[in-house]
Amino acid sequence: MTLAGLEVIVIGGGIAGLAAAARLRQCGAQVLLLEQAGGFREVGAGLQISPNGARVLGALGLDGALAQAGMRARAVVLRAGASGQQVMRLDLPPGGAGFHLVHRADLIALLESALDGVETRFVAQVAQVTPDGPRPSVTLQGGARLRADLVLGADGLHSVLRPALHDGAPESPFFTGQVAWRALIPATDHAPPEAQVFMGPGCHLVSYPLRGGRLRNIVAVQERREWVSEGWNHPDTPENLRAAFAGFGGPVPDWLAQVQQVFLWGLFRHPVARHWHKGHAAILGDAAHPTLPFMAQGANMALEDAWQLAQCLQQAPIDRALAQYQTARRARVAKVIAAANRNARNYHLRPPLAPVAHAGLRLMSRLRPDAALRQFSWIYDFDVTRP
């Protein structure tokens, strides 16, 4: 059914917020998007959009734009960190929705292009959300208050809305004992569109090309005891990154020698929210279920959330629709997050386990080359857009 006449406020102009705003507007809702950044910022670097996320972009009418903005990935290659030698190659299927390597800023721009009819307002800060009642309110810094039939919090890790759904009860994330660096370097090697994962004891490095091969994205993860603040924008020195991965071989030393700017962030594990909705308010994306980056599913889960939420709102009154949305999404995202947590352990094996595990992967690669990818078919084959 149409959502004509439904007034919606979406807090947050990231992937979840933009996708939700675009889809709800397509369904007829009147949407106000609040973004606190003073503009849609170029935050982060590379993203991997897998078929489950690409199907949502296609259903939004953005499949052609995705093909223009990203590179279709051909393979994921697992390598031994010290030597750079191939351990396993996972060839990705050439047909269907596909796997895509996209700069986050390009994905944001792509989603922004779908906001036809959405009112966007850049605000200093959202101070408070009151979810109760049929017309929940959003209070801005300075005291201005906005009301709508539905308020959605797509405002990430430090969501203003999420605590209001839990009556302000604190939910403490814990440090995983891992930190990650991210960097972009120019690429002149015309590398194929493949994601390469270099595995080492207590650390790993992921790299793939972006923007037609003109850039190379690097994410490097290391286990450590020190507590590092969350967030994407903690500058670090390239020397620290190079020192952490000094034992890696293959192309890694040359890549790291080119790094001029690098950011460091601590990886924290947050619980999946107990309550995703209250009254006429709900959360989605990282506000509901932050995930570690080891399955490359954060953006894809956000896209799925946005479509599922709009679909539920088309099928039932708001109260029932929000309950159906949580029921439809919570178990799936929890399973995806658990898979990401396992991947972190698998990438960081130490001797004597690492050589044995790598030998097993090489054997599997020869005997059943598609088996490793098939074990995640429940993620990639999922189509939230199917009625």
Side-chain angles (χ1 to χ4, degrees):
M1 69 179 186
T2 179
L3 299 180
L6 182 72
E7 296 180 355
V8 183
I9 296 174
V10 178
I11 305 170
I15 293 166
L18 291 169
R23 181 55 186 161
L24 289 169
R25 180 63 193 132
Q26 288 179 352
C27 296
Q30 298 299 310
V31 183
L32 170 61
L33 176 64
L34 301 178
E35 168 58 17
Q36 300 180 48
F40 299 116
R41 296 181 302 169
E42 184 170 322
V43 178
L47 292 172
Q48 297 179 57
I49 299 298
S50 50
N52 49 307
R55 291 185 188 99
V56 175
L57 293 172
L60 288 171
L62 297 171
D63 45 355
L66 175 61
Q68 291 282 330
M71 302 175 68
R72 183 151 181 155
R74 296 178 191 168
V76 177
V77 183
L78 304 183
R79 298 185 180 278
S83 65
Q85 291 182 346
Q86 180 174 309
V87 174
M88 170 177 272
R89 179 183 176 88
L90 307 175
D91 287 306
L92 302 175
F99 295 77
H100 304 264
L101 308 173
V102 189
H103 195 294
R104 186 180 189 275
D106 296 338
L107 180 60
I108 291 293
L110 185 154
L111 289 167
E112 189 182 1
S113 73
L115 294 182
D116 187 32
V118 173
E119 179 185 354
T120 301
R121 192 178 304 178
F122 297 105
V123 298
Q125 185 177 354
V126 173
Q128 183 180 1
V129 180
T130 305
D132 304 295
R135 296 278 292 177
S137 67
V138 176
T139 303
L140 306 180
Q141 186 182 52
R145 180 172 293 182
L146 308 172
R147 290 189 178 275
D149 301 314
L150 174 65
V151 173
L152 300 178
D155 46 347
L157 284 175
H158 306 293
S159 172
V160 175
L161 178 54
R162 176 167 170 160
L165 304 183
H166 294 79
D167 297 318
E171 298 175 293
S172 298
F174 68 89
F175 181 53
T176 62
Q178 298 174 96
V179 299
W181 289 269
R182 62 177 178 87
L184 286 171
I185 60 173
T188 58
D189 55 358
H190 305 291
E194 299 176 353
Q196 300 192 57
V197 183
F198 296 80
M199 304 174 290
C203 59
H204 77 279
L205 184 146
V206 181
S207 184
Y208 48 84
L210 293 171
R211 291 181 171 169
R214 299 188 303 276
L215 291 176
R216 174 165 291 283
N217 186 68
I218 296 171
V219 177
V221 178
Q222 181 191 46
E223 295 176 7
R224 65 160 65 164
R225 294 181 180 179
E226 293 89 346
W227 184 281
V228 177
S229 298
E230 272 185 300
W232 279 88
N233 290 299
H234 301 290
D236 197 17
T237 66
E239 289 74 18
N240 286 339
L241 170 60
R242 288 191 275 265
F245 288 84
F248 276 41
V252 172
D254 288 340
W255 291 343
L256 297 187
Q258 297 178 61
V259 172
Q260 296 184 5
Q261 183 181 49
V262 66
F263 295 90
L264 175 69
W265 79 102
L267 300 182
F268 288 73
R269 192 173 299 169
H270 296 248
V272 176
R274 298 189 305 277
H275 307 295
W276 292 26
H277 65 95
K278 181 180 181 182
H280 284 195
I283 50 178
L284 66 160
D286 282 351
H289 48 76
T291 180
L292 296 177
F294 306 126
M295 281 299 301
Q297 283 299 302
N300 296 288
M301 291 299 103
L303 292 168
E304 287 186 12
D305 283 356
W307 189 276
Q308 183 75 68
L309 178 57
Q311 188 174 75
C312 290
L313 288 166
Q314 289 179 284
Q315 296 171 349
I318 292 176
D319 298 77
R320 194 161 78 232
L322 297 184
Q324 291 172 351
Y325 156 67
Q326 175 171 330
T327 298
R329 295 297 301 152
R330 195 177 189 280
R332 174 166 168 80
V333 299
K335 187 177 179 182
V336 169
I337 289 169
N341 296 342
R342 287 193 297 273
N343 255 11
R345 293 191 294 271
N346 294 338
Y347 290 159
H348 291 187
L349 294 176
R350 293 175 167 83
L353 290 178
V356 176
H358 291 185
L361 290 173
R362 288 188 179 95
L363 181 62
M364 182 189 299
S365 188
R366 289 197 298 271
L367 299 180
R368 300 179 60 195
D370 61 340
L373 191 63
R374 272 209 319 272
Q375 68 176 312
F376 297 117
S377 60
W378 60 273
I379 297 179
Y380 305 136
D381 292 349
F382 183 75
D383 186 356
V384 73
T385 69
R386 188 178 299 165

PDB file of all heavy atoms in Angstrom, residues 67 82 191 202 276 279 286 324:
ATOM      1  N   ALA A  67      26.977   0.285 -11.170  1.00  0.00           N
ATOM      2  CA  ALA A  67      27.956  -0.205 -12.145  1.00  0.00           C
ATOM      3  C   ALA A  67      28.924   0.904 -12.553  1.00  0.00           C
ATOM      4  O   ALA A  67      30.106   0.645 -12.795  1.00  0.00           O
ATOM      5  CB  ALA A  67      27.230  -0.761 -13.368  1.00  0.00           C
ATOM      6  N   ALA A  82      53.377 -13.429   5.445  1.00  0.00           N
ATOM      7  CA  ALA A  82      54.838 -13.327   5.404  1.00  0.00           C
ATOM      8  C   ALA A  82      55.378 -13.449   3.990  1.00  0.00           C
ATOM      9  O   ALA A  82      56.294 -12.722   3.592  1.00  0.00           O
ATOM     10  CB  ALA A  82      55.463 -14.383   6.303  1.00  0.00           C
ATOM     11  N   ALA A 191      45.683  -3.176 -11.324  1.00  0.00           N
ATOM     12  CA  ALA A 191      45.385  -4.458 -10.695  1.00  0.00           C
ATOM     13  C   ALA A 191      43.958  -4.887 -11.001  1.00  0.00           C
ATOM     14  O   ALA A 191      43.059  -4.047 -11.153  1.00  0.00           O
ATOM     15  CB  ALA A 191      45.575  -4.342  -9.179  1.00  0.00           C
ATOM     16  N   GLY A 202      48.039 -12.929  14.539  1.00  0.00           N
ATOM     17  CA  GLY A 202      47.501 -11.803  15.290  1.00  0.00           C
ATOM     18  C   GLY A 202      47.220 -10.571  14.461  1.00  0.00           C
ATOM     19  O   GLY A 202      46.969  -9.491  15.017  1.00  0.00           O
ATOM     20  N   TRP A 276      14.422  -2.479  19.014  1.00  0.00           N
ATOM     21  CA  TRP A 276      14.673  -1.665  17.824  1.00  0.00           C
ATOM     22  C   TRP A 276      13.595  -0.612  17.624  1.00  0.00           C
ATOM     23  O   TRP A 276      13.701   0.215  16.719  1.00  0.00           O
ATOM     24  CB  TRP A 276      14.724  -2.545  16.575  1.00  0.00           C
ATOM     25  CG  TRP A 276      15.898  -3.468  16.502  1.00  0.00           C
ATOM     26  CD1 TRP A 276      16.626  -3.976  17.549  1.00  0.00           C
ATOM     27  CD2 TRP A 276      16.476  -4.010  15.322  1.00  0.00           C
ATOM     28  NE1 TRP A 276      17.613  -4.802  17.088  1.00  0.00           N
ATOM     29  CE2 TRP A 276      17.554  -4.852  15.728  1.00  0.00           C
ATOM     30  CE3 TRP A 276      16.193  -3.883  13.972  1.00  0.00           C
ATOM     31  CZ2 TRP A 276      18.330  -5.548  14.808  1.00  0.00           C
ATOM     32  CZ3 TRP A 276      16.964  -4.572  13.054  1.00  0.00           C
ATOM     33  CH2 TRP A 276      18.028  -5.399  13.476  1.00  0.00           C
ATOM     34  N   GLY A 279       7.050   3.019  20.623  1.00  0.00           N
ATOM     35  CA  GLY A 279       6.118   4.004  20.106  1.00  0.00           C
ATOM     36  C   GLY A 279       6.188   4.041  18.593  1.00  0.00           C
ATOM     37  O   GLY A 279       6.171   3.011  17.923  1.00  0.00           O
ATOM     38  N   ASP A 286      23.850   0.748  11.811  1.00  0.00           N
ATOM     39  CA  ASP A 286      24.761   0.645  12.947  1.00  0.00           C
ATOM     40  C   ASP A 286      24.130   1.073  14.255  1.00  0.00           C
ATOM     41  O   ASP A 286      24.583   0.662  15.329  1.00  0.00           O
ATOM     42  CB  ASP A 286      26.008   1.507  12.702  1.00  0.00           C
ATOM     43  CG  ASP A 286      27.006   0.848  11.766  1.00  0.00           C
ATOM     44  OD1 ASP A 286      26.817  -0.343  11.441  1.00  0.00           O
ATOM     45  OD2 ASP A 286      27.965   1.509  11.351  1.00  0.00           O
ATOM     46  N   GLN A 324       7.162  -6.091  13.330  1.00  0.00           N
ATOM     47  CA  GLN A 324       7.471  -7.045  12.264  1.00  0.00           C
ATOM     48  C   GLN A 324       8.869  -6.805  11.704  1.00  0.00           C
ATOM     49  O   GLN A 324       9.587  -7.760  11.382  1.00  0.00           O
ATOM     50  CB  GLN A 324       6.425  -6.926  11.154  1.00  0.00           C
ATOM     51  CG  GLN A 324       5.046  -7.421  11.539  1.00  0.00           C
ATOM     52  CD  GLN A 324       3.996  -7.125  10.492  1.00  0.00           C
ATOM     53  OE1 GLN A 324       4.247  -6.391   9.531  1.00  0.00           O
ATOM     54  NE2 GLN A 324       2.804  -7.673  10.659  1.00  0.00           N
TER      55      GLN A 324
END
